[in-house]
Structures are given as C-alpha cells and as structure tokens.
C-alpha cells in the first residue's frame, strides 16, 4: 500500500532526491518548498502522486495550513521528513543578531512548527514516523559553524524528548545525521557572515583547506538507499549517521567523552552529596 510522505525543503538537495526516491517506490509525496516551480519536473513525471506545497516553515500559520492541506488531499501522513534548513558560516563573534535568529528560526523553530502540526494527525492514526534531518554537528562541532551547530544540538534534544513522549502512541522518531555532502547546502543554501575579524583568519584558512579534499564530501545519491531502509524498517534507529566522516568522527568523540566521564567519576559521584 502506498504511504503518504511529507517532505519539507524538497526543492533541491536531499529533499528533492528523497522525494523522487519515494515516488519511484510507489509512495505518494507532499513536497514543500518556498518555490514550488522547482518541483515541476516531478509533477510532470509523477502526476497526482506528488502534491507540491508552497511553504515557508518560519511562518507557523503557513505550516498549520500546509499540514491540513496534506491531510485533506491524501487522507493521512505516514512519514514526515523535516529537511528544511540552511548553513550559516562565520565565527560566533562575527555573527549578527539577525543572522543568529534567522538560523535558529529555520533550523530549529521551523522544524518544531512542522512537528507540532503533524503530531495530531499521527496521534489520531496511532501510527507514524517522524524523520528529522539533523547533522553530525548536532553531536560534535566544527569551527565557523557555531550557530548551525547550536541549531542542530537543539534539534537533537527536542526530537529525543518528543520520541519519549509519543512512543506509546505508535509514533517513531529518527534523527538523520549527515556529514558534509555535495549538495547546495554549502552553496546557494548557505549564508556567509559578512563582518570578518582578522584574528580569526587562521581558523578560516584551516577550515577552507579541510574541505578541499573531495573525499570529505559524500555523494547525495548514495543516501537514497539509507533513507528508504529507515523508512521501511519496522524498528528504525533513533539516530543514523550518514557518511564515513560522520561515523569515524562521532565514534572518536564518544570514545573521548566516555573516557573523560570515567576519569572524573569519583568527583561526579561525590558531588551528589549522599
């Protein structure tokens, strides 16, 4: 039986790639984007199986209306993929208030509004799967991406909490944590801070050189099989890293954190007081 998939940020990158993968698999897709003309090719190819929706996830009223439209059109929402977001490059000190708020508004609050709007539909169904596109930078960090890191750390905490609140209702949660991929995330979808402070130039240079190796960037097409396996799983993982950089980096981070926790074990326990 065809499932109903709702994907935000579907005009390009992972969102569009995954939307077509589900359509090819025989599912029906509600695909949202700020500019739905980017979905014309999918409409031409898949007809009524795709519902393009013009949506700015920053606007809560639009989100509510979009979810209602999907429910009315398809009758259900089986899988939500919260994919809308962008990258903000620059050191924390260089980031303006407007840029910081815009980063959190889309990457965190936009995801929150969509999740909140879809949950009543899934509660009524007593089933559903919410897939949040986070990042391996929701677990560890990179310089020059401080606000992006923070937005994804927030997504991780929010999603893990909701997962514990709705598990008894038959609703599943998965956090997708990619490393860098050769999408437009670091191109047209990115925002560069404008006020550069010279003291941070060495950090910028080191960051730029680290991205020069093509092996650093994953191939977006290679993620299709992974997202389909997660969506098709009866027992999907709460977290799934995408890419070898993410896997090796996060494994090293957790190993070091556990070692430090054990090193300070006696101090931690004594601080309990009894």
């Amino acid at each position: 039986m065809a499932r109903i998939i709702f994907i935000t940020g579907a005009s390009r990158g992972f969102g569009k790639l995954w939307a077509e993968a589900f359509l090819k698999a025989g599912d029906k897709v509600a695909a949202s984007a700020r500019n739905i003309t980017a979905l014309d090719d999918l409409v031409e190819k898949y007809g009524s199986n795709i519902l393009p929706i013009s949506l700015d996830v920053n606007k809560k009223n639009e989100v509510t209306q979009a979810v209602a439209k999907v429910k009315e059109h398809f009758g259900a929402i089986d899988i939500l993929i919260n994919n809308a977001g962008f990258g903000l490059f620059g050191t924390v000190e260089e980031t303006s208030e407007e840029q910081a708020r815009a980063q959190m508004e889309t990457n965190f609050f936009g995801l929150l509004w969509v999740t909140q709007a879809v949950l009543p539909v899934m509660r009524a169904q007593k089933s559903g799967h919410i897939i949040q596109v986070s990042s391996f930078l929701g677990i560890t960090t990179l310089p020059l991406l401080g606000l992006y890191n923070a937005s994804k750390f927030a997504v991780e905490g929010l999603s893990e909490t909701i997962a514990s609140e709705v598990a008894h209702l038959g609703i599943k949660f998965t956090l997708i944590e990619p490393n860098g991929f050769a999408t437009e995330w670091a191109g047209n979808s990115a925002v560069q801070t404008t006020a550069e402070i010279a003291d941070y130039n060495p950090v910028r240079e080191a960051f730029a050189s680290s991205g020069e190796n093509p092996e650093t960037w994953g191939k977006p097409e290679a993620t299709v099989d992974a997202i389909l396996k997660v969506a098709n799983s009866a027992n999907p993982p709460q977290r799934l890293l995408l890419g070898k950089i993410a896997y090796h980096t996060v494994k090293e981070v957790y190993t070091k954190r556990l070692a430090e926790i054990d090193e300070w074990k006696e101090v931690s326990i004594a601080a309990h007081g009894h």
Side-chain angles (χ1 to χ4, degrees), residues 4-193:
I4 310 304
I5 319 294
F6 180 25
I7 304 180
T8 67
S11 63
R12 55 193 174 189
F14 285 147
K16 189 168 186 180
L17 191 66
W18 296 345
E20 183 157 23
F22 283 109
L23 289 164
K24 282 182 178 177
D27 294 314
K28 297 183 178 182
V29 174
S32 82
R34 293 194 184 199
N35 178 14
I36 59 173
T37 59
L39 299 167
D40 286 349
D41 56 332
L42 295 184
V43 173
E44 184 177 349
K45 191 172 182 180
Y46 297 99
S48 61
N49 284 339
I50 179 170
L51 174 67
I53 298 177
S54 178
L55 174 62
D56 179 352
V57 297
N58 294 353
K59 299 176 180 177
K60 191 175 181 182
N61 287 341
E62 280 191 23
V63 170
T64 302
Q65 292 167 10
V67 170
K69 185 175 181 179
V70 177
K71 176 65 167 61
E72 180 182 358
H73 187 84
F74 285 129
I77 299 175
D78 298 305
I79 298 175
L80 164 66
I81 302 180
N82 258 320
N83 175 64
F86 70 94
L88 175 66
F89 290 84
T91 68
V92 173
E93 185 181 351
E94 294 165 340
T95 305
S96 70
E97 178 182 353
E98 182 182 7
Q99 290 168 329
R101 291 185 182 279
Q103 179 77 119
M104 296 303 294
E105 192 67 43
T106 298
N107 289 13
F108 176 73
F109 284 106
L111 175 142
L112 172 60
W113 305 146
V114 178
T115 304
Q116 285 183 327
V118 167
L119 279 172
V121 178
M122 292 186 173
R123 283 193 294 107
Q125 296 170 175
K126 293 294 188 289
S127 67
H129 188 182
I130 295 178
I131 299 174
Q132 313 281 50
V133 180
S134 177
S135 169
F136 83 126
L137 298 180
I139 297 174
T140 186
T141 64
L142 283 176
L144 300 184
L145 284 161
L147 270 297
Y148 180 83
N149 297 336
S151 72
K152 294 303 185 179
F153 266 73
V155 165
E156 296 268 333
L158 176 79
S159 301
E160 188 173 304
T161 302
I162 302 173
S164 68
E165 295 170 344
V166 301
H168 68 291
L169 298 170
I171 302 171
K172 303 165 186 173
F173 258 80
T174 299
L175 283 154
I176 299 293
E177 299 160 335
N179 53 224
F181 277 78
T183 65
E184 293 186 20
W185 176 84
N188 291 339
S189 295
V191 174
Q192 183 75 35
T193 57

Side-chain angles (χ1 to χ4, degrees), residues 236-257:
Q238 188 170 85
R239 285 179 166 83
L240 178 69
L241 297 165
L242 292 185
K244 63 183 181 182
I245 303 297
Y247 174 80
H248 292 300
T249 300
V250 171
K251 186 172 182 180
E252 181 180 355
V253 166
Y254 273 122
T255 299
K256 288 181 178 179
R257 285 179 184 172

